[in-house]
Amino acid sequence: MKKTILALIMLGILPAFLAAAAAGKDAAGPDEASLLAAWETAVRSDANTEIFEKTAERAYHFKTRLFPFDGELKVLNALIQDYGDEEEALPGYVFGSVEVELVGFDQEQMARYARSFSYWYQLNTLYFDHKAGRWLNGQEYRAALSRGYSASGCGTVTGWLARNYFLLIMLFLALFLWWVARRSGRQMKTAMSRQDEAMDISRRSIALAEKAAQHNEESIKLLQQILEELKKKN
């Protein structure tokens, strides 16, 4: 009877214990071993990977369709960076990077296939999600961030404004310049109108002055004629 009761107790405790152990395992923080394992999965599952076989510790036979390489891949370093609350772009995530060397793939070839190489090298960057308790590749990380933005309200108008504030600044600047140009145009039109009025007044003044000078000349001629007549009579 006692053995039966003990067995029942064990059966009741064991599932809870296993669940707690699993939760503890998921809650474990990121380490180098888990980063390298997740990286291997990411490289192996990439659609462009043709061969990815481990040949030695941190050494692999690697071939890809993205650029002409079929040779040895060496892992030089596995870097884990936890910025905590300092990095707003990685809230709740740890940054992991696997630094590798493609033996024989020189700088000239990297430059020739720069875009393809850069695209492939993104597979070497992973992100540890504390909530999920696992490493995410770039695609999974971007999807998680997108869900986070939507859940936090960044999918609303406020979120859109927050993400596109630079465009708004440029729009306001363009509107301000348009307003300044329009106002300057009005001021220029006003100044030109006043200038035209001044020129018109000046032309009238000149015309009046010319008429006055003409009248003076006629008056002088008349006086000279009168003087001549007086002289003749004397």
Side-chain angles (χ1 to χ4, degrees):
M1 184 68 179
K2 291 182 178 180
K3 291 183 178 180
T4 303
I5 295 174
L6 182 61
L8 291 173
I9 292 174
M10 290 299 296
L11 288 173
I13 294 176
L14 185 59
F17 175 78
L18 292 175
K25 183 178 180 181
D26 290 340
D31 56 18
E32 187 174 294
S34 64
L35 173 59
L36 289 174
W39 168 77
E40 288 181 356
T41 301
V43 175
R44 187 175 290 110
S45 61
D46 180 51
N48 297 296
T49 299
E50 293 185 337
I51 300 175
F52 187 71
E53 299 172 350
K54 192 169 185 177
T55 57
E57 185 66 23
R58 297 199 174 193
Y60 305 83
H61 176 202
F62 174 66
K63 183 180 180 182
T64 179
R65 297 185 185 91
L66 289 172
F67 43 85
F69 180 82
D70 183 3
E72 185 180 17
L73 182 154
K74 287 184 178 180
V75 174
L76 303 178
N77 188 32
L79 178 64
I80 298 175
Q81 295 172 284
D82 187 355
Y83 294 100
D85 297 331
E86 296 179 4
E87 182 57 57
E88 295 181 358
L90 299 169
Y93 294 89
V94 174
F95 178 86
S97 179
V98 179
E99 297 173 307
V100 302
E101 175 189 1
L102 299 180
V103 180
F105 198 70
D106 55 26
Q107 294 291 334
E108 182 180 351
Q109 290 175 298
M110 288 183 188
R112 189 180 302 170
Y113 299 94
R115 295 193 59 155
S116 300
F117 183 79
S118 176
Y119 172 80
W120 172 80
Y121 208 84
Q122 293 177 13
L123 296 174
N124 303 325
T125 301
L126 295 101
Y127 309 85
F128 188 84
D129 186 350
H130 284 291
K131 292 182 179 179
R134 68 184 184 90
W135 288 97
L136 308 179
N137 59 33
Q139 184 177 0
E140 293 172 329
Y141 171 69
R142 288 188 292 272
L145 276 189
S146 179
R147 290 192 298 270
Y149 281 133
S150 298
S152 63
C154 289
T156 62
V157 175
T158 304
W160 185 90
L161 292 175
R163 295 192 303 272
N164 298 279
Y165 69 93
F166 180 74
L167 293 177
L168 292 175
I169 292 175
M170 296 300 295
L171 177 60
F172 283 124
L173 179 60
L175 290 174
F176 174 74
L177 293 175
W178 173 80
W179 177 79
V180 170
R182 186 176 181 183
R183 184 177 180 183
S184 299
R186 288 179 177 176
Q187 291 178 345
M188 182 65 70
K189 288 181 180 179
T190 302
M192 292 296 292
S193 177
R194 291 178 178 175
Q195 185 176 359
D196 290 340
E197 292 178 359
M199 291 294 293
D200 187 53
I201 293 172
S202 178
R203 285 193 294 268
R204 291 179 182 178
S205 299
I206 293 173
L208 291 174
E210 289 176 350
K211 288 182 179 180
Q214 185 178 359
H215 290 159
N216 288 335
E217 289 179 0
E218 292 176 353
S219 298
I220 291 171
K221 288 180 179 179
L222 181 60
L223 289 174
Q224 288 178 347
Q225 291 176 358
I226 294 171
L227 286 174
E228 289 177 359
E229 290 294 330
L230 291 174
K231 288 178 181 180
K232 289 179 181 180
K233 290 180 179 181
N234 295 331

